[in-house]
Amino acid sequence: MDSAANRKELLKLYTPMEFACTVAYKYCKDGANVFCGVGLSLLPAQLAQKTFAPDVSIIYEGGSIGSVAVGRIPWGIDDTVIQVNAECQTDVLSTLGWLVQTGRVHLTYLGAAQCDRYGNLNTTLYGDDYTRPAARVSGSGGGHDLAVGSQNFVVIMNHREDRIVDKLDYQTSPGFCDGGTSRWDKWGLSGGGPLAICTDLAVLTPNPVSRELEIAAIYPFTTLEEVKARTGFPIRIAAGFKVVEPPTAEEIKILREQLDVTGDFTGWKKLFA
Amino acid sequence: MDSAANRKELLKLYTPMEFACTVAYKYCKDGANVFCGVGLSLLPAQLAQKTFAPDVSIIYEGGSIGSVAVGRIPWGIDDTVIQVNAECQTDVLSTLGWLVQTGRVHLTYLGAAQCDRYGNLNTTLYGDDYTRPAARVSGSGGGHDLAVGSQNFVVIMNHREDRIVDKLDYQTSPGFCDGGTSRWDKWGLSGGGPLAICTDLAVLTPNPVSRELEIAAIYPFTTLEEVKARTGFPIRIAAGFKVVEPPTAEEIKILREQLDVTGDFTGWKKLFA
Amino acid sequence: MKNKLMRLDVAVQTFVKDRMSIAAGGFPLARQSNIFIKEILRQNKKGGVKVRDLYWVEPGIGFGGSMLVAEGIIDSVISTFSSHERAGLSVITRDALEKGIPRKIKWEDESNLTLNSRLMAGALNLPFIPCGSGIWGDLKKPGLWDGKMAYPKNVVTEDPFGSGRKVALLQAISPDLSIVHVPFADTHGNGIILGSMYYDYWLARAGKKIVLIADQIIDTEMCRRYPNLVAIPGVGVDAVVPWFMGAWPCNSPGVYGEDLEHISMFIKNSRGEALRSYLDKYVYSWENHQQYLELIGAEKVAALQDNPAKVLAEPFGQWILPQDKVAALLP
Amino acid sequence: MKNKLMRLDVAVQTFVKDRMSIAAGGFPLARQSNIFIKEILRQNKKGGVKVRDLYWVEPGIGFGGSMLVAEGIIDSVISTFSSHERAGLSVITRDALEKGIPRKIKWEDESNLTLNSRLMAGALNLPFIPCGSGIWGDLKKPGLWDGKMAYPKNVVTEDPFGSGRKVALLQAISPDLSIVHVPFADTHGNGIILGSMYYDYWLARAGKKIVLIADQIIDTEMCRRYPNLVAIPGVGVDAVVPWFMGAWPCNSPGVYGEDLEHISMFIKNSRGEALRSYLDKYVYSWENHQQYLELIGAEKVAALQDNPAKVLAEPFGQWILPQDKVAALLP
């Protein structure tokens, strides 16, 4: 099989982030309480809700629970389109404090600027000087709290050697901390940590013992060599490694026609430009 | 003047607790935020509101703010008659936690089973064994919190030697603690403590230095001797000591016709039985 | 979201276990979980549950709590007061505390701020919370007083940030079960409260499990129209028990007022044979919701509903589900 | 209760002082106190106030906060993120942090739970509060980073009640002033929020002084009918500034949606001359509420009001006071 040709063909049909979303949404279970952040992390729970998980409850940290976005995908958790039909409007202490910290949130989707070998995340800044960052990103928002208390989380992010890194420029949100069982033993954090990092190239999952990220799967348009080259630390291959199947027609139809209609999130409209 | 005859005459016209209420309500200032508890402590703020302090805001610890009781005086802060026309319904953390502890409550009316020489209160039990009290009374409720955080408070209670005592059977709510400035220096409590103890015989106020209670006034139907005899510790006479004037016709009219209509609180109906 | 409606008997059988801690919402005259409490007693008699020693957390021990004490299935109480407000002190609680009738109970006194704070800490999964109350006086002394303290009481400490201020650290309470009576809830568990909230915002959230008892089940569309009225988000609630007049003889503002006549009668019948007869009639004699309502009496129900606070519920009548629809939704 | 209505300019002159801390409610797209922020800048120019160094506390620095940074009157920020959500990061905040344009600002990063908890602690007059967040990572490191730390950051400690659990103790924040935009408030200061509350329940309560900005002034009768919708009790509020469209270009759910077009335009005009022109036009050029509305444009106002979330406010239209009545009530 000619992987270069293969890649070329698939990337005419799907964007890498459509791969990431269609891998990520499968971690969502029907009936689960799912927390969504901003940007790409908004998509998987909504895709799950519109397919196999109609009874999922989507929680936004601002306090909106059970809403279905009206008209367009929200620009943020504070967008009016998710203020319309929520079953309940409460506040940040009730979402991040009560629901998340008591373990009532089963799954959270997070974005990140950087992720280290133990799934710890940086969403704050690039550079080595906090007082004058090379680039300021957004900040923790509720990310730290969700990483601490959510039963599990899944990260969606870009895969570059300066993003999947050995050492974070800023430690915003905990994954498996120092690895192994340190998240619980040493740091006493309540939640279970990251299930997977879904990038635009591959799916990384923690080794069950060391909790170091390994390559669990790659997308068919890339190669293990490319993934390793784009990872900022020497990364192992997980047991059961596989190549991800392309998104199904139904997944793509819902993603493009009902969710990311404008293409702002996955960039799919550029495929046809 | 024949004090015995005098007494007899006045007690045909007013009950002792009507004296207590009409003294107590004058501590209320117009525009003040006033906290009311149960029983007799409900009356003074409402009397003030209906006379010289129309802009008083009455707060009940359950969360009802700004309500005017409909039909009858409430049996408690949880009575439906103050659920009807409140401007705001919130919760105990907002009333006792936020409003009281940040000093936004100017005055509180409290009842008590016992009061000691420094205005500390017992509303919990009689007897010297917590594990088997001679008599259980109600308990703190919000009394402790109000005594801690309210800018000031006024107590309405019965005057007997086992009620105005040297030593409380149970220390429920702080007055001036160990006396002097110990309330602030030693215990670090935020509010200002008791302004007055209005009993069925007299008005006790704290000495400005020692903070020990002194007899500031007695009602015209009693004597200093009687008050001293009914006080469980040797009590001094305050500077400016006086004899209280009987309630005015207007005060009595409002108390009986608009507030304590049934006479359950002050017992006025028994005068005419 | 899931349909969380559950029959009263099933809810008690599912969620109530011996030696568990239960936090019950409301206030002595308001929205106490009286029907749930009665069903604990009924199931205990029928063998649906076997409960001997409950650890009971309630702002003020009034009607329901007193019945549990009377039937001897309370081991320990954390509370701030015990009374039926102006109707009088709780005779039953006094007899238990003063005379050990029908058994000695352990009692821990709190203030309304310290107890509500401890429950908020539980709801937020914090092990403790500071408070300005509980520094001076006897509230900070050990409360559960049978000689074997379950845990130490308030730890007075200084602000580590250097303000010099003293606070009491209060241990969090995360009850095994929180039960709260609300006038309205939908099938997803979204609970709406009208009138004073008392502790219920945080008391509900504090439970490891959360059960609401609702006078009326409403269409979720009402929650979507008034999402800011939902005080208890359904996403965290485990079950909703529909039971009209479930708080009686307490009030449920918007739906009915307190039955002061009945509460006064209960206080007068709080001892010996009179108490036995009372419990036999009002707790054990009836078999279903219809008989329960008949026991209260149609006239009394109508009178209690005809209450000035009904104005609070006026806008919401159109979303109340009819009884047959609720029955069909009950598993 | 007292009439607490106050003109915008008077409110800024009354409550805003240099070197004070201000906590501002909302979220980057929602109910930010934009008109109050603009008035701070306007009064600063006119001499009504003289503000150089504010200590700014806000969940997410978006439109309003960015303007204050752009005009160089922010000394320090405590926040959790800085962005206009999907519209993009705050260019102005980035320029200040990365390049010191127009001046270097001090920045302290929190998470949404830690910052909201710190404000709740302030509202409850607690010196600190524990939290499960802020134990691991860099959020617990000193934040206000000019070399002279104003105070130590999170103190990680163990539960004194022996659970073995670790928590971070977070220092309380009691801002000198809390400002919160609400769709509805009455003259007594009772504030109603529709849609997500974000931090505002506790952020409002945390202020030593509390000012609400309301799109509409409602008759107190509405509060009496829907007392459970009052999120911010008037009894603790110091002033209410009536200003329709005051949150624009953010949303005020129930009244209008966010103006994404304008926010995107603002981001594109966040530097140099373009920024100057933007501020001249949108902050300084107008003289009164009518001119402010004209600047937005009647068509735009109508379009933003015609928003699906208007359903949330539908039941309340009858209690909105007309403009002339509000004007008459303003001292």
Side-chain angles (χ1 to χ4, degrees), chain A residues 144-222:
Chain A
H144 177 93
D145 316 308
L146 289 157
V148 165
S150 181
Q151 282 190 20
N152 282 112
F153 61 90
V154 169
V155 181
I156 301 172
M157 65 182 294
N158 286 313
H159 205 137
R160 306 286 177 269
E161 53 274 33
D162 58 350
R163 313 270 319 251
I164 310 288
V165 296
D166 186 48
K167 189 176 177 308
L168 300 177
D169 288 356
Y170 185 94
Q171 295 184 318
T172 312
S173 303
F176 294 107
C177 301
D178 314 316
T181 56
S182 65
R183 178 185 164 93
W184 304 284
D185 302 346
K186 177 175 171 186
W187 296 98
L189 307 182
S190 55
L195 291 177
I197 317 298
C198 302
T199 75
D200 52 349
L201 292 180
V203 182
L204 312 182
T205 59
N207 177 286
V209 177
S210 71
R211 261 81 177 191
E212 192 168 314
L213 294 177
E214 300 172 335
I215 303 172
I218 61 170
Y219 303 150
F221 57 77
T222 186

Side-chain angles (χ1 to χ4, degrees), chain D residues 20-26 32-33 37 54-61 65 68 74-81 106-108 110-111 114-116 118-120 144 151 171-180 199-200 203-204 206:
Chain D
M20 84 189 309
S21 53
I22 301 180
Q32 291 198 317
S33 304
I37 288 169
L54 290 177
Y55 191 83
W56 193 253
V57 182
E58 196 176 26
I61 306 295
L68 292 172
I74 295 285
D75 176 84
S76 306
V77 169
I78 305 184
S79 183
T80 80
F81 69 114
K106 303 183 206 97
W107 186 279
E108 181 173 331
E110 291 286 353
S111 75
T114 59
L115 184 51
N116 203 347
R118 292 180 66 182
L119 288 161
M120 178 172 74
L144 294 178
Y151 54 83
Q171 190 172 21
I173 299 176
S174 303
D176 297 317
L177 177 65
S178 284
I179 48 175
V180 176
Y199 290 31
D200 293 351
L203 181 145

Side-chain angles (χ1 to χ4, degrees), chain C residues 16 20-38 40 54-66 68 74 76-81 112 115-116 119 173-182 193 197-213 232 250:
Chain C
V16 177
M20 83 188 310
S21 53
I22 302 182
F27 233 55
L29 297 183
R31 289 193 297 93
Q32 290 197 320
S33 305
N34 291 323
I35 193 62
F36 195 91
I37 288 169
K38 286 175 185 164
I40 294 176
L54 290 177
Y55 190 83
W56 192 254
V57 182
E58 195 175 26
I61 306 295
F63 183 78
S66 291
L68 292 172
I74 294 285
S76 306
V77 169
I78 305 184
S79 184
T80 81
F81 69 114
N112 280 335
L115 184 51
N116 203 347
L119 288 161
I173 298 176
S174 303
D176 297 317
L177 176 65
S178 284
I179 50 176
V180 176
H181 183 96
V182 297
I193 292 175
M197 299 279 295
Y198 311 105
Y199 290 32
D200 292 351
Y201 188 94
W202 291 110
L203 181 144
R205 285 161 171 75
K208 293 194 186 83
K209 296 285 176 186
I210 303 169
V211 174
L212 303 183
I213 306 99
I232 306 171
C250 291

Side-chain angles (χ1 to χ4, degrees), chain D residues 119-177:
Chain D
L119 288 161
M120 178 172 74
L124 295 170
N125 195 22
L126 305 173
F128 62 91
I129 190 157
C131 196
S133 288
I135 299 172
W136 178 91
D138 287 335
L139 290 179
K140 71 173 182 293
K141 288 194 184 157
L144 294 178
W145 43 262
D146 63 347
K148 291 177 292 177
M149 268 288 290
Y151 54 83
K153 203 65 192 287
N154 311 359
V155 175
V156 177
T157 188
E158 246 192 47
D159 175 14
F161 296 98
S163 68
R165 287 182 56 196
K166 258 189 273 201
V167 289
L169 302 184
L170 317 175
Q171 190 172 21
I173 299 176
S174 303
D176 297 317
L177 177 65

Side-chain angles (χ1 to χ4, degrees), chain B residues 199-265:
Chain B
T199 76
D200 50 349
L201 292 180
V203 182
L204 313 182
T205 59
N207 177 286
V209 176
S210 72
R211 261 83 180 189
E212 193 168 311
L213 293 178
E214 300 172 336
I215 304 173
I218 61 171
Y219 305 150
F221 57 79
T222 186
T223 62
L224 263 176
E225 290 62 41
E226 186 187 23
V227 172
K228 285 184 177 180
R230 292 218 189 166
T231 300
F233 57 88
I235 189 164
R236 293 191 181 82
I237 314 298
F241 167 82
K242 61 175 184 178
V243 176
V244 170
E245 292 294 317
T248 67
E250 191 207 4
E251 288 164 352
I252 286 297
K253 192 174 155 69
I254 294 172
L255 266 180
R256 295 182 186 175
E257 292 179 16
Q258 294 182 41
L259 297 174
D260 187 21
V261 179
T262 60
D264 284 343
F265 292 82

Side-chain angles (χ1 to χ4, degrees), chain A residues 220-238:
Chain A
F221 57 77
T222 186
T223 61
L224 265 176
E225 290 64 42
E226 186 187 24
V227 172
K228 287 184 174 180
R230 291 217 189 166
T231 301
F233 57 89
I235 188 164
R236 291 191 181 81
I237 314 298

Side-chain angles (χ1 to χ4, degrees), chain A residues 38-40 61-64 70 72 75-81 83-84 89-93 96-97 101 120-121 124 130-142 144-145 148 168-174 177 186-187 189 264-265, chain D residues 27-30 80-82 85-87 89 94 97-100 104 107-114 116-117 120 132-140 143 145 166 195-199 201-202 251 253 257-258 260 264 307-309 311-312:
Chain A
V38 292
L40 268 169
E61 64 188 304
S64 186
V70 173
R72 58 178 164 78
W75 282 37
I77 61 118
D78 41 357
D79 192 314
T80 327
V81 300
Q83 304 296 323
V84 184
Q89 289 287 2
T90 182
D91 77 346
V92 167
L93 270 187
L96 294 176
Q101 303 309 318
N120 304 305
L121 305 178
T124 303
Y130 180 72
T131 70
R132 191 172 284 257
R136 170 79 196 188
V137 207
S138 63
S140 164
H144 177 93
D145 316 308
V148 165
L168 300 177
D169 288 356
Y170 185 94
Q171 295 184 318
T172 312
S173 303
C177 301
K186 177 175 171 186
W187 296 98
L189 307 182
D264 283 343
F265 291 80
Chain D
F27 232 56
L29 297 183
T80 80
F81 69 114
S82 157
E85 303 288 13
R86 193 67 194 165
L89 296 166
R94 290 191 62 173
L97 287 170
E98 296 166 13
K99 299 170 201 155
K104 216 172 162 177
W107 186 279
E108 181 173 331
D109 271 297
E110 291 286 353
S111 75
N112 280 334
L113 180 56
T114 59
N116 203 347
S117 296
M120 178 172 74
S133 288
I135 299 172
W136 178 91
D138 287 335
L139 290 179
K140 71 173 182 293
W145 43 262
K166 258 189 273 201
S196 294
M197 300 277 296
Y198 310 105
Y199 290 31
Y201 188 94
W202 291 110
N251 62 48
E258 57 285 318
L260 295 176
S264 301
N307 178 290
V311 68
L312 297 177

